[in-house]
């Protein structure tokens, strides 16, 4: 079985992270990687300090700052970075930072990925 890399990107969306992470962590024990800026970390609140939250601060990487200033091009860069550098060979699971979880969905996603499906969603 492959390892799992669960992530969200929240560059410029720190205020959304509080509700997102609270609901995610309520229903899941899987660690989640969060690609964001220092300002987003400050706006997210204390929940960002949960040991299951793996912060990836890209504030000092000009390419991210430039690409996010142009909108979804920053999102594309985040995905490309995850696939090429951070999670190569792993199952990659992504959630938008504006999702609110009402139950566990990650275990079902992982189950189907492990059964050989290439694309899975709740």
């Amino acid at each position: 079985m492959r390892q799992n890399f669960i992530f969200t990107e929240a560059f410029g969306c720190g205020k959304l992270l509080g509700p997102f992470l609270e609901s995610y962590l309520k229903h899941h024990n899987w660690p989640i990687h969060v690609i964001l800026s220092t300002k987003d970390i400050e706006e997210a609140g204390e929940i960002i300090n949960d040991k299951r939250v793996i912060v990836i601060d890209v504030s000092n990487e000009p390419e991210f700052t430039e690409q996010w200033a142009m909108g979804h091009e920053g999102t594309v860069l985040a995905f490309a970075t995850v696939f090429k550098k951070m999670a190569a060979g792993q199952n990659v699971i992504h959630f938008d930072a504006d999702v609110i979880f009402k139950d566990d969905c990650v275990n079902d996603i992982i189950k189907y990925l492990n059964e050989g499906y290439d694309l899975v969603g709740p």
Side-chain angles (χ1 to χ4, degrees), residues 19-39:
F20 169 85
L21 288 172
E22 285 177 27
S23 66
Y24 176 86
L25 296 172
K26 178 179 178 182
H27 298 288
H28 306 96
N29 285 321
W30 293 95
I32 185 161
H33 300 79
V34 183
I35 302 171
L36 71 177
S37 71
T38 303
K39 182 180 177 190

Side-chain angles (χ1 to χ4, degrees), residues 56-73:
I56 303 168
D57 185 348
V58 295
S59 297
N60 294 323
E61 298 184 35
E63 188 175 20
F64 274 95
T65 304
E66 292 167 14
Q67 295 297 314
W68 254 302
M70 293 186 275
H72 287 292
E73 291 166 13

Side-chain angles (χ1 to χ4, degrees), residues 16-118:
L16 296 175
L17 279 175
F20 169 85
L21 288 172
E22 285 177 27
S23 66
Y24 176 86
L25 296 172
K26 178 179 178 182
H27 298 288
H28 306 96
N29 285 321
W30 293 95
I32 185 161
H33 300 79
V34 183
I35 302 171
L36 71 177
S37 71
T38 303
K39 182 180 177 190
D40 299 312
I41 294 168
E42 295 166 3
E43 291 178 347
E46 289 298 316
I47 193 77
I48 200 83
N49 298 319
D50 187 285
K51 66 181 179 179
R52 295 167 288 175
V53 177
I54 301 165
V55 172
I56 303 168
D57 185 348
V58 295
S59 297
N60 294 323
E61 298 184 35
E63 188 175 20
F64 274 95
T65 304
E66 292 167 14
Q67 295 297 314
W68 254 302
M70 293 186 275
H72 287 292
E73 291 166 13
T75 304
V76 172
L77 178 60
F79 270 84
T81 302
V82 166
F83 283 118
K84 291 174 93 177
K85 296 179 182 177
M86 296 178 184
Q90 298 182 49
N91 291 328
V92 175
I93 302 169
H94 171 266
F95 295 105
D96 283 342
D98 60 355
V99 170
I100 299 295
F101 297 88
K102 293 187 173 192
D103 204 350
D104 170 26
C105 64
V106 172
N107 285 313
D108 285 339
I109 292 170
I110 291 170
K111 175 183 174 252
Y112 287 108
L113 289 170
N114 288 335
E115 289 178 5
Y117 289 87
D118 294 320

